Amino acid sequence: MNVSLKLSLRSFLYRKKQYLSLFLVCLFGCGISLFFLFVMNGMMDSLKNKARIYYGGDIQIIGGKTELKVNNSTPFIEKIKNVFPEDAVIVQRFDYDAARASFYFEGNSARQRVIKGVYFDREKKLFSGMNFRSGSSSDAGKGKILLSVPVAAMLCASVGDRITLTVPSSGGSVSTVDLTVCGIFEDSSLFGMYTSYMDIDDLRKVVRMPEDYANRICINLDSKNISRKDKASYYKKLSSVLNMFPMLDDKQDFYDELLGGKFKKDTYAMIPLEANLQDVNFLIIAMHSVTFFIIFILIAIIVIGIGSTWKILVMKRINEIGIYMSLGMKKLSIIFVLLIEALVLILSGCLCGTFFSLAGCYVISKFNFSFIPAFDIFLTEGSIIPVFDFSAVCIITALILFFTLAAVLSSIKKTIRIMPCQALAATE
């Protein structure tokens, strides 16, 4: 076995020019596959980070009888805090439908879709992941507000300016509050264009809600992926302390029951982040499908290209194989020699392909794509920041190895079936 290994390595080095084209096919095929995968991972990571900020973390608990309402939110949190890990951040949020509310600054006005009342101090870590054009969330608190870039542009407001929020009430009067702009964030697409963040107590006061009112309880587990097993465990524990709606994948199922007045008592739903992303689920599936299709095509090119070319290369070495046979080498040893050459070729190609993909990721991270409309949902500070995935490198390399070596082995077996004398007599 040791002799066969040395023989195969020497043969590989001797024929390195002959193998160059196959090496390049493997390098570019593997490299481009990994590049697309790392880029997609980065775009998905950016999307999820923005969604986590918008939805308050990894899980939301919403509920009520006929509307979303948690009047005594502090005791409610005490009731459920043992359900989640000790380091979980559990906070109240108040999402206010701001269709009738307006911001004013120096004669300019802007309408909002939603104003989110949050505890900036408790969600400091979450907001630190926000991308700011100017200012930051570090100074956010009472009397402060975070605006998106488009809304700040409508108001012609900058960080440090004091704007006025007006909210009409049912009696015809108008409630107002002056707020200082402490940050202008760039995440202004699906999760931010007409959304602002302000202190929850200030928002309760201006819209005249009870002191401990909330309509969402948000749980931040600081995790990119929560297993279905963990979600099932959280749901089971919540069911022991709350009247829970069945587990769901689409939050609209719960809203239909709640707003349809079908609940006889307060009922709550656990909404994982994935359930909140149903509106963009088609886009996520499409991106994964395109990426995996490209990877499949490139792996197929590698397998077919190397497999078919290797058959020709082995046939050209028929005399060499005849010499091995005449010297008493067993067919298994000859197969081993030729397979090791293919193995070295594929592994070196995949390794260099990985570095090629990382170089491509570095280059693309230097470009600013914020000029593309509605694309900033996938961007971090205007750029695509690819995410390296070691497991993906291992899986793609293993797939290329398995299918390519299988094709090579089939070619080798057909060639070494001939007798030594036939092999020696053969001409290339």
Side-chain angles (χ1 to χ4, degrees), residues 23-38:
F23 169 80
L24 292 176
V25 168
C26 191
L27 185 156
F28 287 111
C30 180
I32 295 172
S33 297
L34 291 173
F35 171 76
F36 275 102
L37 190 61
F38 296 161

Side-chain angles (χ1 to χ4, degrees), residues 180-229:
T180 301
V181 179
C182 66
I184 298 174
F185 57 89
E186 293 186 325
D187 305 324
S188 54
S189 55
L190 181 64
F191 301 123
M193 184 166 185
Y194 294 106
T195 300
S196 299
Y197 298 85
M198 62 183 288
D199 180 78
I200 190 171
D201 291 326
D202 290 340
L203 183 58
R204 286 167 180 156
K205 185 175 180 181
V206 74
V207 301
R208 300 176 184 178
M209 284 295 181
E211 200 171 284
D212 205 23
Y213 173 85
N215 54 18
R216 282 159 178 79
I217 304 298
C218 303
I219 299 95
N220 180 15
L221 302 172
D222 200 21
S223 174
K224 292 182 180 179
N225 292 296
I226 304 172
S227 68
R228 294 188 67 88
K229 183 179 179 181

